[in-house]
Amino acid sequence: MTSYPPERPGLRRMRRRRRRAVLLLAMLLAAVGGAAGITRLSEPPRPVRVPLAAEPTLMPDADTAAAASPTGYPTAGPGTFAVADGRSPVRGHAGPLRRYRIEVEHGTGQDADAFAATVDAVLGDPRSWIASGELRVQRVPEAAAADFTVYLATPATSERMCAEGGLHTERYTSCRLPGRVVLNLARWMTAVPDYGAPLDVYRTYVVNHEVGHEFGELHQACPRPGAPAPVMQQQTYGLDGCLPNAWPYVDGARYSGEPTDGV
């Protein structure tokens, strides 16, 4: 058996100091690691970003839509109407009495009574249909008493109303159905490009033209270039060389052109 010399006291002290140093270092590392773990556990959780719900889109009312529209008038409306109050005098001297009612779509910015006054002035003019001596006209407020109604409606509503009778206006023109004269707000406000006459002339024309259909009149053609356009010519689509004319009677006589295939 091999025998070793006895360990010196100084070497034993050195080894004890080294073990204590290693032990202290291990304890220090354990303490630091524990503290770091505690710190991580004690940190508050990061907030989770939750997408905000989109705010509901509110449909503007018709007056707001009119103000926002580049045209200055709404192109669509609620489809409900205000009725003009009161009644006009009977206009005309002979013939059956044709009573009409006036309705203006809500939100158009147009007053029903003011619109009614314009229609009254057109239909009661001696150059209008009463000049035939074969009919009289009067505006009434009651639906039951009216033979027909004149509506002023936004392009979308007028298209829908006209389509009920099979007429498709592309939101551009006015129309007449039995008992219904539907005037397009866009045409009432702006007439048509290159019409060549003031807005009130076009308005007079469109009232007489559509009401003329209600009285049984059919479309007519331009007689010749430079002549007045017959009121039953489709002047909204162009004058074909004729000049703007808003009245069925010119210089006291019925003014007309050749019938066309259109109605």
Side-chain angles (χ1 to χ4, degrees):
M1 182 174 69
T2 303
S3 61
Y4 295 94
E7 190 174 34
R8 289 176 297 177
L11 183 59
R12 288 198 298 272
R13 286 194 296 272
M14 185 182 296
R15 287 177 177 171
R16 285 197 295 271
R17 285 196 297 271
R18 184 180 298 169
R19 285 196 296 269
R20 286 197 295 271
V22 171
L23 180 60
L24 288 172
L25 180 59
M27 293 175 63
L28 178 61
L29 291 174
V32 171
I38 293 170
T39 301
R40 285 193 296 269
L41 290 175
S42 62
E43 288 179 355
R46 294 180 180 180
V48 178
R49 295 184 180 275
V50 179
L52 296 176
E55 295 184 0
T57 301
L58 300 179
M59 294 299 293
D61 58 31
D63 289 335
T64 302
S69 170
T71 61
Y73 56 83
T75 56
T80 58
F81 292 80
V83 179
D85 293 327
R87 63 190 65 234
S88 73
V90 174
R91 306 291 177 83
H93 303 289
L97 178 61
R98 300 296 302 274
R99 297 182 177 91
Y100 61 94
R101 193 169 186 249
I102 295 292
E103 296 191 24
V104 173
E105 187 172 8
H106 290 118
T108 59
Q110 303 301 302
D111 179 73
D113 292 335
F115 176 67
T118 299
V119 175
D120 291 349
V122 170
L123 297 182
D125 191 283
R127 295 167 290 179
S128 191
W129 298 107
I130 59 173
S132 67
E134 298 177 355
L135 62 82
R136 297 169 298 149
V137 295
Q138 182 187 27
R139 177 171 56 84
V140 296
E142 307 92 355
D147 298 298
F148 64 97
T149 299
V150 179
Y151 299 90
L152 182 62
T154 59
T157 300
S158 64
E159 164 65 18
R160 185 169 62 251
M161 294 173 70
C162 295
E164 291 175 0
L167 301 177
H168 298 284
T169 64
E170 304 299 330
R171 299 191 176 192
Y172 187 76
T173 60
S174 303
C175 78
R176 175 263 173 186
L177 302 173
R180 285 183 162 196
V181 170
V182 183
L183 303 186
N184 187 310
L185 177 67
R187 303 285 66 76
W188 189 256
M189 298 300 295
T190 65
V192 291
D194 303 320
Y195 185 62
L199 179 60
D200 62 338
V201 174
Y202 180 86
R203 288 179 172 180
T204 301
Y205 151 74
V206 78
V207 169
N208 275 324
H209 181 93
E210 301 300 344
V211 173
H213 283 312
E214 179 64 25
F215 293 159
E217 300 288 337
L218 302 179
H219 285 147
Q220 299 170 3
C222 172
R224 62 187 182 280
V231 76
M232 295 312 298
Q233 181 180 336
Q234 292 179 289
Q235 297 180 34
T236 297
Y237 290 131
L239 295 170
D240 295 333
C242 273
L243 302 178
N245 169 49
W247 301 106
Y249 285 79
V250 177
D251 296 328
R254 177 75 170 94
Y255 182 74
S256 61
E258 291 295 322
T260 66
D261 294 335
V263 295

